[in-house]
Amino acid sequence: MYKKNTRIIVLNIIITLLILGLLIRLFYIQYIKGETYAKIAVQQKIESLNLEKRRGEIYDRNLIPFVDRTSSEYIYAIPGMIVNKKTASIILNKITGISDLEIYKDLNSKKDIIKYKCKYTYKGNLPIGLFKMDIPQRYDSNSLARHVIGYYGTISYGLENTFNKTLSSNGIESVAVFKDNYNDYLKGLGVKIINSQNKVFSIETTLDYHIQKAVEDILDKNIINGAAVVLDVKNGDILAMASRPNYDQNKVSSYIDSKNEELLNKALIEYPPGSIFKIIVASAALENKKVNIYDNFIDDPYINIDGVIYHNFMDESNGLINMDKAFEVSSNTTFIKIGQKTGGSNIIDMAKKFGITKDDNLPVEEQVGTLPLLKNTYGAGIGNLSIGQGDVTMTPLQAADIAATIANDGIRNVPNLLKAIVDENGTVVENLHKTNSYRVISESTALSVKKMMRDVVANGTGQNAETEYKSAGKTGSAEVSREKNIYHAWFTGFVPYDKPVYAISVFVKNGDIGGIKAAPIFKEIANEIMKYYK
């Protein structure tokens, strides 16, 4: 009897423990891991359909985007979820303008999801299986800095190409749809938009959105065929770079065979600089103490060197003048005499110090300037070198860089276009801003050249560049065809004169005389962008 009672007690304990264990397990499943298991159960019934692959932004220095600034509305159709495809086809026809018969054919295909661009407004309720989304448009009709940003597609160019690997992410927007045990769509549950958790990285540039817009608006208003560049004098950052004519980033292929050079970034293409090269000649003469700023010369209307004749503009003669005055009136014959005294070797060495032949490793395609071989500067060759013609070329970026170096008391800051790679919150992932500076000329030489550049604007060929802030600079008229009176017009300088902030170069291809065509553009740009200086 005792043994029987003992067995019953033990059995009851075991059963109680089993029930207790089962209750604990149920509690664990339902309350501790309930949410996790519920998600797993749901996930087994969800199918993800990919919509759009996310691409990183390209920002200005204040994290203002240059791309994805507008969006367009699209409507997506999931055929497997649509109960009445004829009704859906009629609705889609009203929204897209596409034939309802064509849409009906699409909806009866084996496609998982179909994307249509919305053309018209539809105020009614959409049936299950249709939903709308606003999709960012990479480029639009108001996109800025197109020659720098470039484009991404079957062919790529600019920053879009250089940083394609960085900007291309695994982040994909998708739509979650629900299915039953038979893999059929549960038509009453609708859809859910899912954003990928994968990180998207963007590029922060040195460009300033507002300065870039001001420059482009001014070039467009004046119908300029050429380029303009704005640099920060203190650090060499490229704040604006614009080239004209412009192009549509969504229709790149239509410009491939064009002769209007829409796809060329003229800010980074080499051209003969004409008289803006006299900044370098003057710097070489003063730095090497070959000529004093107040040494006098007879300014002849033309000069004959070994049978080669060089002319002043309109064969003008200014009598007895010094280098300061020759720079102010842009005398060719006097500067050739200064070049003869200075020597081709010193001028070429100075041009190289200013970076004319250096590749500064910008993240976009660029050309570098050219200089003649030393042997080609002997005799008559010194004439072309002294006035920026012949084998002498530079880019508008390099022209702005020269002005910035003078404005910065002779210290060159190698131009920068990049600041950093950033994440979706604007946090720096990798610093790309390079600090590279070195002295080109002494401070005293720089001060002398600055004064000469100020005199050009105050009294000389660059008076059309004067601003309320006081400008300084140099005009250039690079001869393309003397017979046809065709010149590339240049102006490069800085503003304000007393405490320089911006260096600006303006280039107008086949434009006219620099003082007439380029200097007024400089003035407009300088006056406008000084509004953004704080």
Side-chain angles (χ1 to χ4, degrees):
M1 183 71 176
Y2 173 77
K3 289 183 179 179
K4 183 176 180 181
N5 290 337
T6 301
R7 283 197 294 270
I8 291 172
I9 291 170
V10 171
L11 182 61
N12 286 336
I13 291 171
I14 292 172
I15 291 172
T16 300
L17 290 174
L18 288 172
I19 293 172
L20 183 62
L22 181 60
L23 290 173
I24 292 171
R25 180 62 178 168
L26 288 173
F27 178 83
Y28 175 79
I29 292 172
Q30 185 168 353
Y31 294 100
I32 305 299
K33 300 290 289 184
E35 187 176 346
T36 301
Y37 289 137
K39 287 182 178 179
I40 292 173
V42 171
Q43 290 296 329
Q44 290 176 341
K45 303 296 182 182
I46 289 179
E47 179 177 339
S48 292
L49 303 176
N50 291 340
L51 298 179
E52 302 293 331
K53 190 168 184 178
R54 298 163 68 198
R55 185 168 176 82
E57 300 286 346
I58 300 177
Y59 293 115
D60 86 334
R61 60 177 178 168
N62 298 308
L63 295 181
I64 299 174
F66 282 107
V67 293
D68 296 333
R69 293 180 62 85
T70 60
S71 61
S72 293
E73 193 174 47
Y74 287 83
I75 188 163
Y76 288 85
I78 303 175
M81 296 187 71
I82 300 173
V83 177
N84 191 325
K85 292 184 172 59
K86 285 189 175 180
T87 300
S89 299
I90 293 170
I91 292 172
L92 286 171
N93 163 256
K94 293 178 181 179
I95 296 172
T96 66
I98 301 172
S99 163
D100 58 319
L101 293 176
E102 183 179 340
I103 293 173
Y104 185 73
K105 184 178 179 181
D106 280 345
L107 297 183
N108 283 284
S109 68
K110 294 182 179 180
K111 298 175 183 177
D112 289 322
I113 191 165
I114 307 168
K115 175 182 175 184
Y116 300 100
K117 188 170 184 178
C118 297
K119 190 174 181 181
Y120 305 107
T121 302
Y122 181 77
K123 296 182 179 180
N125 294 325
L126 294 176
I128 297 296
L130 300 182
F131 63 96
K132 290 181 180 179
M133 277 189 67
D134 284 332
I135 304 298
Q137 300 301 290
R138 190 68 175 175
Y139 317 114
D140 60 47
S141 59
N142 296 314
S143 294
L144 296 178
R146 299 180 195 181
H147 291 88
V148 179
I149 303 304
Y151 40 85
Y152 169 74
T154 52
I155 55 174
S156 299
Y157 176 75
L159 293 179
E160 289 276 34
N161 181 56
T162 304
F163 288 96
N164 182 47
K165 187 175 180 180
T166 301
L167 297 170
S168 297
S169 72
N170 292 318
I172 297 175
E173 287 185 330
S174 59
V175 58
V177 293
F178 300 88
K179 292 188 172 183
D180 61 18
N181 292 332
Y182 299 98
N183 205 35
D184 289 331
Y185 290 99
L186 295 174
K187 298 177 174 58
L189 294 182
V191 299
K192 181 181 179 181
I193 307 300
I194 301 174
N195 287 323
S196 169
Q197 298 302 309
N198 292 322
K199 288 187 175 181
V200 177
F201 296 107
S202 300
I203 303 300
E204 182 183 4
T205 71
T206 62
L207 297 175
D208 184 294
Y209 186 89
H210 299 295
I211 293 177
Q212 180 74 30
K213 187 176 189 310
V215 170
E216 293 198 27
D217 286 348
I218 290 167
L219 293 185
D220 288 337
K221 182 184 74 172
N222 290 279
I223 317 176
I224 296 299
N225 176 5
V229 178
V230 180
L231 295 181
D232 187 321
V233 167
K234 293 304 178 186
N235 58 18
D237 283 356
I238 300 171
L239 303 179
M241 180 184 290
S243 179
R244 288 298 184 269
N246 215 346
Y247 69 98
D248 186 336
Q249 289 160 297
N250 292 309
K251 299 177 180 179
V252 173
S253 60
S254 65
Y255 301 97
I256 300 298
D257 297 322
S258 173
K259 296 181 180 180
N260 294 325
E261 304 178 331
E262 292 95 343
L263 297 179
L264 295 183
N265 185 356
K266 293 185 174 69
L268 299 176
I269 292 179
E270 50 167 328
Y271 298 97
S275 291
I276 64 171
F277 192 76
K278 290 170 183 173
I279 298 172
I280 291 176
V281 177
S283 297
L286 293 171
E287 191 76 357
N288 290 282
K289 302 187 186 310
K290 298 295 183 179
V291 178
N292 184 285
I293 191 171
Y294 297 115
D295 285 351
N296 287 321
F297 297 85
I298 300 296
D299 186 47
D300 298 309
Y302 61 88
I303 185 172
N304 187 328
I305 307 176
D306 297 340
V308 179
I309 299 175
Y310 295 94
H311 298 260
N312 274 343
F313 182 68
M314 302 293 290
D315 285 336
E316 294 174 340
S317 174
N318 295 281
L320 187 67
I321 61 173
N322 55 36
M323 182 164 67
D324 188 8
K325 187 67 177 178
F327 193 86
E328 178 185 305
V329 300
S330 202
S331 167
N332 287 337
T333 59
T334 296
F335 255 83
I336 289 173
K337 294 174 183 178
I338 292 170
Q340 288 175 318
K341 283 198 168 189
T342 305
S345 177
N346 287 328
I347 296 173
I348 289 173
D349 288 345
M350 182 58 68
K352 289 179 179 179
K353 286 182 181 179
F354 271 97
I356 297 304
T357 58
K358 289 182 180 178
D359 182 349
D360 294 324
N361 296 313
L362 288 180
V364 289
E365 295 182 20
E366 66 169 325
Q367 297 179 354
V368 297
T370 59
L371 295 166
L373 297 173
L374 180 59
K375 66 179 182 180
N376 293 333
T377 67
Y378 301 143
I382 195 66
N384 276 331
L385 179 63
S386 301
I387 59 175
Q389 294 280 174
D391 294 331
V392 181
T393 63
M394 69 173 69
T395 70
L397 171 61
Q398 291 177 322
D401 186 18
I402 291 170
T405 300
I406 298 297
N408 198 36
D409 295 330
I411 296 175
R412 179 180 185 239
N413 294 303
V414 176
N416 268 306
L417 184 56
L418 300 174
K419 288 188 72 175
I421 296 174
V422 297
D423 64 16
E424 291 173 276
N425 298 315
T427 303
V428 174
V429 175
E430 182 182 350
N431 184 10
L432 301 176
H433 196 268
K434 298 177 182 178
T435 302
N436 184 3
S437 61
Y438 59 90
R439 181 165 289 283
V440 176
I441 51 177
S442 66
E443 186 173 354
S444 61
T445 296
L447 289 173
S448 295
V449 179
K450 282 171 75 172
K451 178 188 179 302
M452 290 194 292
M453 292 174 74
R454 173 60 192 155
D455 290 342
V456 167
V457 176
N459 308 303
T461 58
Q463 292 181 54
N464 286 330
E466 182 63 299
T467 67
E468 59 183 289
Y469 309 98
K470 292 187 178 180
S471 307
K474 183 70 188 77
T475 56
S477 305
E479 189 174 274
V480 178
S481 172
R482 184 176 175 83
E483 293 75 20
K484 296 181 180 180
N485 199 34
I486 298 175
Y487 299 86
H488 294 326
W490 290 85
F491 190 91
T492 188
F494 54 89
V495 65
Y497 170 65
D498 294 324
K499 294 182 179 179
V501 175
Y502 301 121
I504 307 166
S505 71
V506 177
F507 166 75
V508 185
K509 185 174 182 181
N510 300 335
D512 202 333
I513 307 305
I516 295 174
K517 195 69 175 181
I521 305 300
F522 174 97
K523 176 181 179 176
E524 284 192 58
I525 292 173
N527 276 330
E528 187 63 27
I529 68 176
M530 281 301 294
K531 297 176 184 177
Y532 300 106
Y533 177 65
K534 299 178 182 178

